[in-house]
Amino acid sequence: MSVVGIHAGLSVDHLVTEGRGARFSCLGGPAVFAALGARLVEGTRVRVGCPLPADDPRFAALFTALGIDTTCATTVPEATRLWILNSRRGRRIVGLTAPSPVELGGDEPGNEDALPDPGAGFHHGLTGLLASAPGSAPPRSAAPVIGIDPHQTHVAAEGMAHLSAVAAHADVVLPSRVQLTLLDRDPRRAARDLAARLGIPVVARLDADGAYVVTSAGAWSVRDRRAEVVETTGAGDASAAAVVAALARGAEPVEAAAFGTSVARIALAGWGHEALEHAAALSAPLPGIITHKEQ
């Protein structure tokens, strides 16, 4: 049995998707999606180091029902509440509380660096760790397999310097398309450059184009021809955690990316976390996941 830790935040989300409608007051945030994604790799137990809001007991109830360890979570008074707006022109995430008296705006939500430190007990016995939007590098002793999902605003401000700092002890970096295009117009070229500079595998999450894996042995595209998209929120977080969980179970990076792409398919099939919550654990990647090595 593998134990994967998720250090990430939670939020209550109002989801609005052009052409599909809306859902309100959904349980969300990277910790929810990552925890539910990691548990879908068979043989994985999950521990969360996240803020549990006292004003919304649904988070604790969900984790308890699914057997996710919350003993290292920190109780906070209120949940972060967000609008997540998806349209054909792009995606925006804005705080539910307006940052100023003016209605117009689009400031990003609160700083993920303010996440409570889960403490030394959080890392005890972990075989894998996913750090979501970390402000600094997790300690090398945190887990045998450490994955970094970078902090988008710090990548925008500091570029490769920030990535080098937070991935100093990491075993894999899991950037999104948005994060990569902050470095280079071509996300695949950015992923190759990132892997070369850091000297560790990169598993890039490229939305509808699946995953792009770069290791010292080459580069692979991992695609899913069977995904049906209902709503996209959380699919990337779930996928990243599944990659870390698969690596912690001994998978090679390409196979781990196929697990991640499989979990993304499940996440995309429902609003918010609903499809992930009811899915069965996977002993192998789903049928229809295609891997292709670049020549």
Side-chain angles (χ1 to χ4, degrees), residues 2-8 31 34-35 38 44-50 68-69 72 118 122-132 142-143 145-147 240-241 244-245 248:
S2 179
V3 182
V4 171
I6 306 296
H7 189 207
T44 302
R45 290 166 45 206
V46 179
R47 180 184 304 156
V48 291
C50 64
I68 293 168
D69 181 0
C72 295
F122 173 67
H123 297 135
H124 179 71
L126 293 183
T127 52
L129 169 68
L130 175 66
S132 177
V145 175
I146 298 174
V244 171

Side-chain angles (χ1 to χ4, degrees), residues 30-276:
V32 163
F33 295 112
L36 271 60
R39 66 181 279 276
L40 292 184
V41 176
E42 188 175 75
T44 302
R45 290 166 45 206
V46 179
R47 180 184 304 156
V48 291
C50 64
L52 280 178
D55 67 337
D56 198 329
R58 294 180 298 161
F59 289 103
L62 174 67
F63 289 145
T64 298
L66 297 179
I68 293 168
D69 181 0
T70 61
T71 55
C72 295
T74 303
T75 301
V76 296
E78 296 181 347
T80 299
R81 288 172 164 78
L82 304 174
W83 286 101
I84 300 182
L85 312 171
N86 296 288
S87 76
R88 294 180 182 87
R89 290 195 168 192
R91 174 184 176 88
R92 294 294 294 170
I93 303 175
V94 297
L96 191 62
T97 302
S100 74
V102 179
E103 292 178 341
L104 298 175
D107 291 349
E108 295 298 325
N111 185 355
E112 292 92 336
D113 290 350
L115 279 175
D117 184 345
F122 173 67
H123 297 135
H124 179 71
L126 293 183
T127 52
L129 169 68
L130 175 66
S132 177
S136 60
R140 175 64 267 181
S141 59
V145 175
I146 298 174
I148 301 294
D149 181 356
H151 191 308
Q152 183 173 306
T153 55
H154 281 304
V155 174
E158 304 165 44
M160 193 65 71
H162 172 71
L163 290 164
S164 297
V166 297
H169 307 135
D171 301 283
V172 62
V173 179
L174 301 128
S176 68
R177 178 190 292 276
V178 170
Q179 293 160 1
L180 289 168
T181 54
L182 293 169
L183 303 173
D184 190 305
R185 184 182 306 174
D186 182 341
R188 288 177 172 80
R189 186 166 59 206
R192 293 192 298 270
D193 186 42
L194 183 58
R197 294 197 185 203
L198 298 180
I200 58 175
V202 170
V203 178
R205 296 167 288 142
L206 301 182
D207 308 321
D209 290 330
Y212 186 64
V213 183
V214 186
T215 75
S216 59
W220 289 260
S221 292
V222 182
R223 295 177 180 270
D224 184 2
R225 301 300 188 188
R226 300 188 187 180
E228 296 183 8
V229 179
V230 172
E231 204 271 329
T232 61
T233 302
D237 296 311
S239 174
V243 170
V244 171
L247 291 171
R249 294 285 292 165
E252 295 298 320
V254 176
E255 182 187 10
F259 269 101
T261 302
S262 300
V263 168
R265 180 197 295 180
I266 294 168
L268 292 167
W271 285 86
H273 74 281
E274 63 183 24
L276 292 168

